[in-house]
Amino acid sequence: MAKRPAEIQAANVKLLEELCQPGDFLPAWLRAAVVRETFKATATCPSCREIQADRGNVLKRDLWNVVGCAKCTFHEPEECYGLGVVVHALCNLQNLMSEEWYHQAAEHVFKCLSATDKIPDTPDDRNARLAELIAVVGLAVGIRAFYRSLPEGLLEEPPIPAAMKGEPRFSSAAEVFKRLAPQEGHGWGVGLAIDDLKPGLMVNGAKFVGEEFSKRKFTPVSPMNKWAPALSTGGSFLRWCSVLYSPIQHGYETHNFMFKKAPGRALNRVGLEDVAAGYTTAIGCSF
């Protein structure tokens, strides 16, 4: 990193600007408020810290109620416009989340947003808005953690931009589906789960058995799949990680990319994943 401070700083500034711009389903002013709340609440909210300290007695299926009753300290108006309980859980309590929490969060986000705007009442629309909110919080947490991990004076943390004017790009999930015309050779989909693999599976004309896949450590979802529901925010993440993390374009998404260093990088993808695994294990990250 020491050889690329200007490039890294520019990428972080650009990502922070894009997080405060209109998204696919969230307006700019709300995304900016979420970013500000995330920066101020991550690892500092007294109530969230108390929940973490007593996490052994917190049932994951009850996390939503636990956070709701915790009287968290919010920094944005109206408890971050009603979304503060979701933001605080995402930035401070990832290790305590469960499927139940995500269902409850999707309902809550829909309730808050539909109070001021007409939103289609469909599962796709609820999940899409929650996915974008998660993406914004996740990237804001990453930027905050990056600067707080640096030696003092190495890079100056960029200020959070003022919210830009602008409405979301789409009004409904159905509108997105209509605009995303099929492209030959491209597609969206989940990864492979080991339990679903059967002996004799055909892959690119060659036979593999489940054991062969397990040796390659395939997982049910890949890092890129996690960003797929958040279209434009996921695009921002891909551009950012090509500077700070590791390039994924221009041939570096191939199998050999895992074991060769990208131009100007000290680690290959395997080395980067080892570092990431240590970091996420230490903080209980589930993004």
Side-chain angles (χ1 to χ4, degrees):
M1 189 198 76
K3 297 181 180 179
R4 301 168 50 240
E7 185 182 7
I8 291 172
Q9 183 76 343
N12 284 327
V13 170
K14 179 64 174 177
L15 177 60
L16 201 54
E17 290 176 350
E18 291 181 351
L19 289 181
C20 295
Q21 293 177 3
D24 297 313
F25 299 101
L26 302 180
W29 65 267
L30 183 58
R31 285 168 58 104
V34 167
V35 171
R36 290 193 298 265
E37 185 69 36
T38 300
F39 264 67
K40 294 177 181 178
T42 302
T44 63
C45 175
S47 295
C48 289
R49 293 171 72 93
E50 290 179 7
I51 294 173
Q52 278 289 8
D54 193 39
R55 60 184 175 275
N57 295 319
V58 177
L59 296 177
K60 290 190 174 183
R61 64 175 180 272
D62 294 334
L63 180 63
W64 181 263
N65 293 326
V66 170
V67 176
C69 297
K71 297 181 179 180
C72 291
T73 301
F74 299 103
H75 305 84
E76 291 296 303
E78 300 176 16
E79 300 182 353
C80 197
Y81 305 98
L83 300 178
V85 289
V86 179
V87 174
H88 280 234
L90 287 169
C91 66
N92 290 323
L93 303 169
Q94 301 167 43
N95 57 314
L96 300 179
M97 290 180 176
S98 64
E99 182 179 352
E100 287 86 353
W101 182 90
Y102 285 94
H103 289 307
Q104 291 165 316
E107 291 293 325
H108 182 77
V109 170
F110 173 79
K111 180 180 178 181
C112 292
L113 297 181
S114 61
T116 57
D117 194 11
K118 186 176 181 180
I119 299 173
D121 188 2
T122 71
D124 286 338
D125 282 287
R126 297 184 182 211
N127 291 334
R129 284 161 177 78
L130 177 61
E132 183 175 330
L133 179 63
I134 291 173
V136 171
V137 173
L139 289 174
V141 168
I143 294 176
R144 180 190 182 278
F146 173 80
Y147 283 98
R148 281 160 178 73
S149 67
L150 296 178
E152 185 176 355
L154 183 59
L155 288 178
E156 183 178 352
E157 181 176 303
I160 298 176
M164 297 183 62
K165 295 182 179 179
E167 295 302 313
R169 293 175 175 84
F170 305 107
S171 61
S172 68
E175 183 183 356
V176 176
F177 299 149
K178 290 179 181 178
R179 294 195 185 187
L180 291 178
Q183 297 184 44
E184 185 176 352
H186 296 72
W188 296 61
V190 298
L192 294 171
I194 298 299
D195 295 340
D196 294 335
L197 300 177
K198 307 298 181 185
L201 179 69
M202 299 292 293
V203 178
N204 291 333
K207 287 187 177 182
F208 288 87
V209 294
E211 288 76 10
E212 286 297 321
F213 279 97
S214 63
K215 291 178 183 177
R216 297 168 186 261
K217 297 182 179 179
F218 279 30
T219 56
V221 294
S222 73
M224 295 304 103
N225 285 337
K226 294 180 181 180
W227 296 99
L231 301 176
S232 60
T233 313
S236 299
F237 166 74
L238 296 181
R239 291 189 295 274
W240 171 85
C241 76
S242 292
V243 176
L244 268 74
Y245 183 56
S246 190
I248 57 172
Q249 294 93 10
H250 309 301
Y252 286 94
E253 71 279 7
T254 63
H255 177 70
N256 290 334
F257 152 65
M258 298 292 291
F259 303 100
K260 67 178 180 180
K261 297 177 184 177
R265 307 307 166 90
L267 297 174
N268 58 23
R269 179 61 181 267
V270 173
L272 285 167
E273 292 296 345
D274 285 340
V275 173
Y279 174 77
T280 54
T281 300
I283 68 170
C285 178
S286 64
F287 284 122

